[in-house]
Amino acid sequence: MNNTNFDPRQFRQALGAFTTGVTIVTTRGADGQDYGLTANSFNSVSIDPPMVLWSLNKDSTSAHAFTASEYFAVHILATDQEHLSNMFAKRGVDKFAGLTTGRGPDGIPLLEGCSARFQCRTTYQYEGGDHVILVGEVLAFDRFDTPPLVFHGGGYRRLMQPAPAVDNSVYGENWLGFLLGRAYYQMQLPIRQQLKTMGMSDLDFELLGMLSFGEGKTLTQLRRLFEFVGKHLPREHLDLWVDKGLLTLEASDEESERIYFTESGRQLTIQWLAFAKAAEMSALESLDYEEAQQLKLLIGRVIQHTGETLPEHWRKENIWQDNNLWQQPG
Ligand SMILES: Cc1cc2nc3c(=O)[nH]c(=O)nc-3n(C[C@H](O)[C@H](O)[C@H](O)COP(=O)(O)O)c2cc1C
């Protein structure tokens, strides 16, 4: 393919193979108005003297403001600023509405919450086809410790560190079920050990977990939840908890008996929850915040996909109740 018959869409798609961050470049026009646009053509040029560049579409409604202004600011957007990127890529809207802005040289607007920010003086402008290449000397910069937003193939992405090579001798055949099972087993081990020192069994561990989803269930409902983890809850076990003063059964006949916490049962479950949350924190120690969110999102997608034929009583809405102790069913 030579460049006289390029399909612009395909050319754009091929360029999209180059992964970038996302920036918002701002300036102040001669009319005293703030201007800004989303740009991923930003790049570093020189360390000494410190210089950067980006290219500006001549069609942009801000084109004149940028080419006439002496200064511009580049904001490298953080992961949670996708909405700002979309706003600054729109034409004919008040992009700065509701934003708190600081001020740089000549009053150029400075945005908050980004990963890094560069205040620049325009030193060169080059012709670049339908774009103008703006080169700026960096006068000041700020770096914030927030993960950056990523752009690839026409869509937003998140940074994820490459996983270390999987050692099959450790992880069996690299089967997802084994990985999930092993991760779950290892993660909950410290909770079970702690409960053991308090004289509680594996069945108690499950019972505390099930009841933390919400009280007021019947024994039949609770037993169905136990089936979910392949266990059976004997009636005598429940009676033991009642004898210990941790649960009460409220009703006239056994069929409609509902299970409630006593105050000490509730306290014990809250303690169990604290163990569970501590176990989660320690399990996620090797991941940064973004990776942990990604992991949960991806597992969530597997759950959604594999749960289409889940029996009614296993569905989230039939397990979680308003009186659950986790606060956010999520
Ligand atoms: C991720 C992304 C990257 C962009 N990169 C550039 C760029 O480098 N240069 C540019 O001129 N426009 C770029 N645009 C398009 C402009 O943001 C958009 O056309 C412009 O802001 C439209 O509004 P305006 O006419 O008010 O400038 C990009 C848009 C997106 C969503």
Side-chain angles (χ1 to χ4, degrees):
M1 205 183 266
N2 65 51
N3 75 6
T4 55
N5 62 0
F6 274 7
D7 173 345
R9 208 168 56 94
Q10 283 183 9
F11 181 50
R12 207 180 264 268
Q13 280 172 353
L15 290 174
F18 187 59
T19 305
T20 65
V22 184
T23 75
I24 288 175
V25 194
T26 58
T27 195
R28 171 163 272 207
D31 56 2
Q33 298 290 313
D34 290 338
Y35 289 87
L37 82 167
T38 303
N40 69 337
S41 53
F42 170 78
N43 222 319
S44 55
V45 174
S46 159
I47 299 293
D48 187 13
M51 292 170 88
V52 296
L53 67 73
W54 65 288
S55 48
L56 163 69
N57 193 326
K58 291 176 182 170
D59 256 0
S60 163
T61 51
S62 338
H64 180 71
F66 279 105
T67 50
S69 171
E70 205 182 336
Y71 302 98
F72 64 83
V74 181
H75 307 81
I76 297 184
L77 298 188
T79 304
D80 60 356
Q81 292 185 307
E82 204 177 301
H83 62 291
L84 267 194
S85 169
N86 290 331
M87 174 62 84
F88 276 79
K90 277 193 194 130
R91 179 166 281 210
V93 293
D94 180 3
K95 302 181 185 185
F96 292 87
L99 291 183
T100 318
T101 48
R103 293 288 155 186
D106 232 6
I108 58 169
L110 302 178
L111 308 179
E112 304 295 330
C114 48
S115 290
R117 186 168 64 193
F118 302 91
Q119 299 176 45
C120 310
R121 177 152 39 93
T122 309
T123 45
Y124 303 101
Q125 292 188 20
Y126 298 107
E127 268 297 307
D130 53 12
H131 281 60
V132 180
I133 301 161
L134 288 145
V135 180
E137 179 190 358
V138 180
L139 306 175
F141 72 92
D142 303 281
R143 185 169 159 263
F144 308 97
D145 204 13
T146 42
L149 187 60
V150 176
F151 198 71
H152 174 84
Y156 297 107
R157 300 281 186 270
R158 302 281 181 275
L159 264 191
M160 196 187 274
Q161 286 179 17
V166 173
D167 177 353
N168 277 351
S169 64
V170 177
Y171 296 121
E173 287 303 308
N174 198 20
W175 184 57
L176 179 64
F178 187 76
L179 292 171
L180 290 174
R182 182 167 171 167
Y184 176 63
Y185 175 78
Q186 289 180 191
M187 184 182 148
Q188 45 136 303
L189 208 56
I191 316 172
R192 294 198 343 211
Q193 274 163 354
Q194 259 161 321
L195 291 185
K196 203 175 266 179
T197 62
M198 294 163 69
M200 279 185 273
S201 65
D202 279 359
L203 204 59
D204 294 327
F205 168 85
E206 301 291 356
L207 187 56
L208 282 169
M210 301 292 181
L211 292 174
S212 72
F213 299 146
E215 48 187 332
K217 289 193 166 65
T218 63
L219 177 59
T220 312
Q221 285 174 325
L222 201 60
R223 278 193 170 145
R224 286 172 128 190
L225 291 181
F226 266 77
E227 284 169 18
F228 188 68
V229 290
K231 293 212 168 93
H232 174 69
L233 176 68
R235 166 78 208 207
E236 304 79 63
H237 197 83
L238 209 59
D239 290 338
L240 213 65
W241 274 56
V242 174
D243 291 346
K244 283 186 193 163
L246 298 168
L247 294 178
T248 58
L249 304 177
E250 290 178 18
S252 43
D253 62 295
E254 186 173 325
E255 208 41 49
S256 60
E257 245 176 8
R258 291 188 181 274
I259 302 157
Y260 291 93
F261 287 123
T262 61
E263 190 44 40
S264 41
R266 181 183 302 275
Q267 288 311 318
L268 182 67
T269 312
I270 288 172
Q271 200 177 356
W272 180 95
L273 270 183
F275 292 156
K277 287 187 176 169
E280 181 190 31
M281 276 172 73
S282 108
L284 294 177
E285 256 165 24
S286 66
L287 307 180
D288 65 27
Y289 175 77
E290 196 56 35
E291 290 170 328
Q293 295 310 306
Q294 286 285 349
L295 179 67
K296 289 183 180 184
L297 279 174
L298 295 177
I299 294 179
R301 287 214 328 241
V302 174
I303 292 172
Q304 207 169 27
H305 179 70
T306 52
E308 276 164 8
T309 56
L310 210 60
E312 274 300 298
H313 63 279
W314 285 353
R315 293 195 172 277
K316 193 174 79 177
E317 59 274 21
N318 296 328
I319 295 179
W320 288 99
Q321 288 169 235
D322 288 344
N323 60 12
N324 80 80
L325 294 176
W326 294 76
Q327 250 77 41
Q328 291 172 312

